[in-house]
Amino acid sequence: MKADTVTSQIPPDTRTRNKKPASGGRFWRSFKNQKYLWMMSIPFVIWAFVFSYLPLWGWTMAFQKYKPARGFFEQEWVGFEHFKTLFSDSQFLLALRNTLAMSGMGLVAGFIFPITFAILLNEVRLGFFKRFAQTVSYLPHFVSWVVAAGIVTKMLSGENGLVNDILLGIGFIDAPIQFMAQGHLFWGIVTLSDVWKETGWNAIIYLAAIAGIGPELYEAARVDGASRLRQVWHITLPGIRPTITVLLIMSVGNLLNIGFEKQFLLGNNLVTDYSQVLDLYSLKYGLGMARYSYGTAINIFNSVISVILLFTINGIFKRTTKESLL
């Protein structure tokens, strides 16, 4: 009785206002208020569906003995036979080793050099030199790997190569080194080539993140007597940590998807055991030999491992730094 009395004393508009709307009602209310944003997103949703999700139907080829002349229901289903062949092939394991090695080296160098370059560039006070350094560092990014590989090969050439000429000139070596014929040097050559080509471009996002740090923090640090190195350590690096975290998670998720352009253009028959990566292996033993089902199995392996790595590293960062991408 008392409960009914209390309820009756609550104004009707208050009871209606406190009542939570249904989830369907919230959706349509949001759609009505943001209808133009929804309409703008429709083309991108269609694009993602057509080019990212619809092709997943082709993964069924990995479980078939695919023949292009046959229809879908006429294909011979073989289950996981191609995956068994894949994991028992020594060339696949070799390509996996090379991919992980070059990806790991590129991941480390691809973070250390751009972050260091962005911090050093931010500390430059001479405007003309800063703009000049930025422009020069960006330029290699716009050069195709065909041209970049030609430049690297020429610089490392044993005959009149710039690197060998310098080493001979300072007396560091007695005879030219055939860099491009040394398999154990190939991973380092690819990593350094990528650093030279992409450091300036990758530093842009870190420069933007540094620009977003409040100048009053640096002013307070200077008043307290902090040196420029201390300001970098205690203000700049913590300020760009969220950016570093997001990019690191995305990079680890793409650890196996390093492409094949660098390895294909810089490699040769003398360094095949060090230059063959998973994408090259898929191209050679899948598409090149018309083993379409086998090539699809390789790509499925890449995708599954990439998803596992993405969720794993995201979970680690979420537990340790409370920052995540997903």
Side-chain angles (χ1 to χ4, degrees):
M1 190 70 181
K2 293 182 179 180
D4 295 339
T5 304
V6 173
T7 305
S8 62
Q9 293 176 354
I10 299 176
D13 57 339
T14 304
R15 291 200 300 265
T16 305
R17 188 165 55 247
N18 293 336
K19 192 176 182 180
K20 293 183 179 180
S23 58
R26 288 198 301 268
F27 171 77
W28 288 111
R29 188 177 296 107
S30 174
F31 179 80
K32 183 179 179 181
N33 294 334
Q34 303 177 4
K35 55 184 176 183
Y36 296 111
L37 292 177
W38 282 88
M39 292 173 64
M40 289 174 61
S41 66
I42 288 176
F44 300 100
V45 172
I46 295 175
W47 180 88
F49 175 77
V50 172
F51 292 99
S52 299
Y53 291 95
L54 195 59
L56 292 178
W57 175 259
W59 278 14
T60 55
M61 293 169 54
F63 307 96
Q64 303 171 340
K65 192 172 183 180
Y66 181 75
K67 299 294 182 182
R70 298 179 182 176
F72 177 79
F73 295 101
E74 298 175 351
Q75 302 292 339
E76 179 184 351
W77 294 85
V78 295
F80 291 93
E81 179 181 330
H82 298 299
F83 292 94
K84 294 178 182 178
T85 305
L86 185 67
F87 294 119
S88 62
D89 187 3
S90 61
Q91 289 297 317
F92 168 75
L93 299 177
L94 186 67
L96 180 61
R97 182 204 68 174
N98 296 337
T99 302
L100 292 174
M102 280 183 272
S103 295
M105 295 172 65
L107 182 66
V108 174
F111 273 87
I112 293 177
F113 284 94
I115 292 173
T116 304
F117 179 72
I119 292 174
L120 292 176
L121 204 58
N122 183 67
E123 295 297 316
V124 174
R125 297 293 178 258
L126 189 60
F128 172 77
F129 177 77
K130 185 175 183 178
R131 290 191 296 270
F132 176 76
Q134 282 181 294
T135 303
V136 172
S137 65
Y138 297 164
L139 289 178
H141 172 78
F142 299 99
V143 177
S144 68
W145 265 111
V146 177
V147 178
I151 295 173
V152 172
T153 302
K154 184 62 179 176
M155 291 181 65
L156 298 178
S157 174
E159 300 178 2
N160 301 321
L162 178 62
V163 175
N164 273 308
D165 288 346
I166 293 175
L167 295 178
L168 288 170
I170 63 178
F172 191 78
I173 57 176
D174 297 326
I177 301 176
Q178 300 295 331
F179 289 99
M180 305 308 295
Q182 304 290 331
H184 63 280
L185 298 177
F186 185 80
W187 294 348
I189 292 173
V190 170
T191 302
L192 292 176
S193 300
D194 200 35
V195 166
W196 161 70
K197 191 174 183 298
E198 302 296 340
T199 292
W201 182 259
N202 292 336
I204 294 176
I205 191 168
Y206 298 113
L207 286 170
I210 292 173
I213 300 175
E216 64 275 3
L217 297 176
Y218 294 100
E219 294 174 2
R222 284 193 292 269
V223 170
D224 291 339
S227 63
R228 297 178 74 173
L229 184 60
R230 285 289 184 182
Q231 293 175 39
V232 169
W233 184 257
H234 292 288
I235 299 176
T236 305
L237 286 177
I240 64 175
R241 189 181 66 181
T243 302
I244 296 174
T245 300
V246 171
L247 293 178
L248 181 59
I249 292 173
M250 294 176 64
S251 297
V252 171
N254 288 300
L255 199 62
L256 296 183
N257 300 319
I258 62 172
F260 65 91
E261 295 86 355
K262 303 185 288 288
Q263 293 77 13
F264 179 75
L265 295 168
L266 292 172
N268 54 66
N269 293 332
L270 298 176
V271 296
T272 302
D273 289 344
Y274 293 87
S275 64
Q276 184 167 257
V277 292
L278 288 177
D279 287 339
L280 270 177
Y281 178 81
S282 175
L283 184 66
K284 180 179 179 180
Y285 292 94
L287 186 62
M289 300 178 65
R291 299 169 66 188
Y292 304 112
S293 297
Y294 192 66
T296 305
I298 300 171
N299 292 328
I300 290 178
F301 172 81
N302 286 355
S303 300
V304 171
I305 296 299
S306 296
V307 171
I308 293 174
L309 288 173
L310 177 63
F311 280 96
T312 301
I313 192 66
N314 184 79
I316 292 174
F317 274 101
K318 192 172 183 178
R319 288 185 176 88
T320 56
T321 64
K322 307 302 180 182
E323 297 173 356
S324 65
L325 181 63
L326 304 175

